[in-house]
Amino acid sequence: MKPRRRFHRVKCAVNEADEIHNDRKTISTSRLPLKLTVKFLLQMSTQFPQSYFKALPVFPLFSMSFLLVPLALMFQEGIHGKAINSLMGPYIVYVERLYMCEPNLPSPWYVRASHFNPHKPKDLQLLTGNATFSSTYDDSTWVKVIIDVRSNNQWKENAFVFNFKKNGCRAFRDNIPQIYKDVFKQGEVKGPNCTLKAGVIKFNNTPANWTFPNFPIMPYGHYRYRVRFGQLEKLYACWAVDGWIIPKS
């Protein structure tokens, strides 16, 4: 593909992102030279083949260009003067805090994680606590995942927002398979469909493998994940996780 045509596609993607979000706090190019943004996106495109995005049935609305634009813009402060490869790549996830982002909802969780040892990054953290599902969690459940990024001592909210209007259970199982298997599968209802029964799931010193197979590389940094889920108009829970994405050694 000729550079001019690729530049045009990236520029269109930026415009598309502006129109969809309609929020300059989320999508802004004012502090990032467009030339550098394009360079970043082209580097990303070599890491994510088109076939990878076609294999993501839970993200049907995300074209490659649209997904890459916020990746570049989100880290605009850190790009200047640094190599792109130092900003993203294969990674390890560890968590610092798990809590509820909204109180008094019918499906709370109370979870703590063991200390992460940076000198032994391959050692899995251990999770202890419980999670309550006030009703059946299945593919009629909707899920909204909001990812905030820590930068300049403040949270940049809504850096990524993923909406699953249905298939919430399958999205959970397919995108965080090891956490689903090791922690939540004990509440699974046997059958052809993905279903977690209503009730309390308890776990004690359970290894937490924070692996996201649908995202082989990610930008490094400090993140806050807010997971909201419910059915129809009812919100059941808002679970939050503060954690880090660091280079995989």
Side-chain angles (χ1 to χ4, degrees):
M1 180 179 293
K2 295 181 179 180
R4 180 172 297 180
R5 292 185 62 187
R6 183 174 287 183
F7 177 86
H8 176 71
R9 290 180 60 190
V10 171
K11 186 176 181 180
C12 290
V14 172
N15 294 335
E16 178 185 3
D18 260 346
E19 292 173 1
I20 291 177
H21 287 272
N22 195 25
D23 183 355
R24 291 293 176 177
K25 294 181 180 179
T26 303
I27 299 295
S28 173
T29 59
S30 59
R31 289 173 293 172
L32 180 67
L34 186 57
K35 182 178 180 180
L36 194 54
T37 303
V38 173
K39 183 179 179 182
F40 185 92
L41 296 179
L42 298 184
Q43 172 76 7
M44 284 284 291
S45 67
T46 65
Q47 302 293 330
F48 288 102
Q50 289 286 354
S51 58
Y52 164 70
F53 290 90
K54 293 178 181 178
L56 291 178
V58 293
F59 299 133
L61 298 181
F62 281 82
S63 64
M64 181 173 67
S65 58
F66 179 71
L67 181 60
L68 298 185
V69 169
L71 278 172
L73 301 181
M74 183 178 64
F75 284 88
Q76 48 193 305
E77 292 88 354
I79 289 177
H80 297 281
K82 295 184 179 180
I84 290 175
N85 289 338
S86 69
L87 294 177
M88 62 181 302
Y91 60 92
I92 291 174
V93 176
Y94 72 89
V95 303
E96 292 182 333
R97 182 183 172 214
L98 303 96
Y99 55 99
M100 290 175 290
C101 39
E102 290 188 30
N104 305 319
L105 292 175
S107 296
W109 73 345
Y110 304 95
V111 187
R112 67 177 185 272
S114 63
H115 176 70
F116 174 76
N117 185 349
H119 300 293
K120 297 181 179 179
K122 294 183 180 180
D123 289 357
L124 299 180
Q125 291 179 281
L126 303 178
L127 298 182
T128 298
N130 63 79
T132 299
F133 290 98
S134 58
S135 64
T136 300
Y137 184 93
D138 56 20
D139 282 341
S140 68
T141 303
W142 56 262
V143 180
K144 184 175 184 179
V145 181
I146 304 167
I147 304 178
D148 309 322
V149 179
R150 190 74 175 176
S151 180
N152 294 331
N153 295 318
Q154 62 182 348
W155 287 109
K156 293 184 178 295
E157 296 188 343
N158 306 316
F160 298 105
V161 178
F162 298 107
N163 276 306
F164 303 91
K165 296 183 179 179
K166 59 180 181 178
N167 299 324
C169 185
R170 182 166 63 92
F172 179 18
R173 182 191 63 192
D174 294 349
N175 287 284
I176 321 178
Q178 286 301 124
I179 294 296
Y180 179 90
K181 177 183 176 182
D182 297 335
V183 179
F184 291 93
K185 192 172 182 178
Q186 58 180 291
E188 189 177 64
V189 176
K190 293 183 179 180
N193 300 318
C194 182
T195 303
L196 297 174
K197 62 185 177 183
V200 179
I201 293 178
K202 299 179 180 180
F203 37 94
N204 184 37
N205 288 330
T206 301
N209 186 343
W210 301 100
T211 299
F212 301 83
N214 288 330
F215 296 88
I217 65 172
M218 280 289 291
Y220 305 130
H222 189 185
Y223 290 84
R224 177 174 65 194
Y225 302 82
R226 290 177 285 157
V227 181
R228 298 163 56 89
F229 64 85
Q231 292 178 338
L232 299 177
E233 301 299 322
K234 187 171 180 60
L235 173 65
Y236 291 147
C238 184
W239 296 351
V241 179
D242 289 359
W244 288 81
I245 291 180
I246 62 174
K248 189 174 185 178
S249 57

